[in-house]
Amino acid sequence: MDLLRVEPGRFARYEGAMPSEPQAPSCGPDSSSSRLDFEQGRLPIWAGRLHVHHRAGRATSVHAYAVVMLVTRGESKMRHAGDLVVRAGDVHLIPPGDAHGAGGSNAEGWGVAFHPDALGEDGGGANRLGPLLRVRQGCHPVLRPTVPQRRRLARWMRLLSEEVARDEPGHEEAARSLLRLVLIELERMTAQTGASEPPSLGLSRKALTYIETHCLEPLSLAQVAKALGRSSAHVAGVVRQETGRTVGEWILECRMAEARRRLRGTDERVDIIAERVGYADVTHFIRQFRRVHGVTPAAWRRKATAGAP
């Protein structure tokens, strides 16, 4: 996943920075296909061991999913809302659309990545990001949990990595439940730290937050710019420069996330889903969906729900 070298499904034994934390199995099934399915949106959640290594000249990375990393050993120098160092015992939160990059690093830990549609029918996409929204609003992206909090978080992440590697009935619902536990633990951490840092919300972050909130309504670059009190050209330039995507591409991404959630979790007809995610013309919706995912919504639904109980 961008600057993170991921080993999906392989859980190497390690000596973490947390005493008595659960140890992962020494090996696991090769699930490289699960990473591809996650990247293409067919799986809403990925979890496993992460290794962050120094890569000279590595460009800034931006992705449309959220990442939570618990560092268990080593440290990583990062560029994320400024320069920071993430050390063993820290938790690094990366919301969708936040630009970030790695400097010198030998960090290892547990990682969870999830699309905004991961938690099913519990409100709008922005509302499901929990504590990651605080990072979007200007809070520091690194949390320093207590030892009991780290142990619990490591346990939830380990169990989550095992669930996403399985192909058993109910594994997706179990994974969503474990992800909720991860987010609850993060909420506890942020509630304890409080709003100690003043908000420092950049224009691109404001734009993404507005898009996530209003993406299912008729929405355009001009409307986003008007809401932010800036010109369309200025908003377009800043968002493209900082995230590598246009405002229109972010609107499309948010709508596709909601479409995937409905395709995976409901039996609604494709034309109904098209209307619910902001497309009056179902043909246009199908064309846009195929452009993003390479298949029609119906074909995507068949593959995503194959084997579901």
Side-chain angles (χ1 to χ4, degrees):
M1 283 183 285
D2 299 319
L3 64 91
L4 302 177
R5 183 170 66 84
V6 184
E7 299 182 61
R10 295 194 179 277
F11 314 119
R13 184 173 294 278
Y14 69 100
E15 296 179 0
M18 295 163 282
S20 302
E21 92 176 13
Q23 292 292 307
S26 59
C27 62
D30 184 357
S31 59
S32 58
S33 62
S34 69
R35 177 182 173 182
L36 179 61
D37 283 341
F38 172 79
E39 295 286 353
Q40 295 181 349
R42 288 190 293 272
L43 291 179
I45 306 168
W46 179 92
R49 293 290 294 164
L50 295 181
H51 302 265
V52 186
H53 295 287
H54 172 69
R55 295 183 181 182
R58 181 69 172 173
T60 297
S61 299
V62 178
H63 37 66
Y65 47 82
V67 175
V68 177
M69 181 177 183
L70 169 64
V71 178
T72 56
R73 64 184 299 178
E75 67 176 37
S76 178
K77 295 180 180 179
M78 304 288 296
R79 299 183 308 277
H80 183 192
D83 294 331
L84 54 90
V85 178
V86 186
R87 298 183 174 89
D90 290 349
V91 176
H92 187 195
L93 307 181
I94 307 176
D98 257 25
H100 56 281
S105 175
N106 62 350
E108 299 180 13
W110 289 103
V112 173
F114 61 97
H115 293 282
D117 54 305
L119 294 179
E121 299 185 44
D122 60 345
N127 295 330
R128 291 195 298 270
L129 294 179
L132 286 104
L133 277 185
R134 295 190 179 98
V135 176
R136 176 76 62 72
Q137 293 164 354
C139 289
H140 200 273
V142 177
L143 302 176
R144 294 183 170 85
T146 64
V147 171
Q149 287 173 332
R150 294 199 302 263
R151 288 173 177 167
R152 288 194 296 267
L153 193 59
R155 184 180 303 117
W156 305 144
M157 288 179 156
R158 175 178 60 84
L159 292 172
L160 182 52
S161 72
E162 293 171 0
E163 284 297 337
V164 298
R166 290 174 179 159
D167 187 17
E168 299 177 2
H171 75 279
E172 286 195 5
E173 182 57 36
R176 285 194 290 269
S177 297
L178 288 164
L179 177 58
R180 290 188 182 97
L181 289 174
V182 168
L183 295 177
I184 289 171
E185 203 65 57
L186 296 178
E187 285 282 6
R188 290 170 173 168
M189 295 176 197
T190 54
Q192 289 177 352
T193 58
S196 58
E197 297 198 11
S200 176
L201 195 56
L203 183 63
S204 66
R205 283 177 160 189
K206 288 181 180 178
L208 291 179
T209 299
Y210 186 85
I211 289 168
E212 288 170 347
T213 304
H214 299 278
C215 66
L216 303 186
E217 307 166 10
L219 191 60
S220 66
L221 168 61
Q223 289 168 302
V224 175
K226 182 178 179 180
L228 300 183
R230 302 294 183 91
S231 70
S232 295
H234 183 63
V235 172
V238 170
V239 171
R240 181 62 181 265
Q241 180 179 5
E242 294 190 8
T243 73
R245 299 189 184 198
T246 66
V247 167
E249 287 170 339
W250 281 112
I251 294 172
L252 178 63
E253 174 60 36
C254 291
R255 288 177 172 176
M256 291 299 107
E258 177 64 10
R260 291 193 302 267
R261 184 188 72 77
R262 290 180 176 276
L263 287 167
R264 185 188 297 111
T266 76
D267 59 359
E268 293 175 337
R269 300 196 314 268
V270 170
D271 61 325
I272 298 297
I273 292 176
E275 183 178 357
R276 293 189 186 279
V277 300
Y279 294 94
D281 182 355
V282 64
T283 302
H284 181 54
F285 166 68
I286 293 172
R287 187 181 306 116
Q288 292 287 75
F289 191 95
R290 182 184 298 192
R291 181 167 69 86
V292 174
H293 300 90
V295 294
T296 65
W300 189 95
R301 171 181 264 167
R302 285 194 295 271
K303 184 165 185 177
T305 58

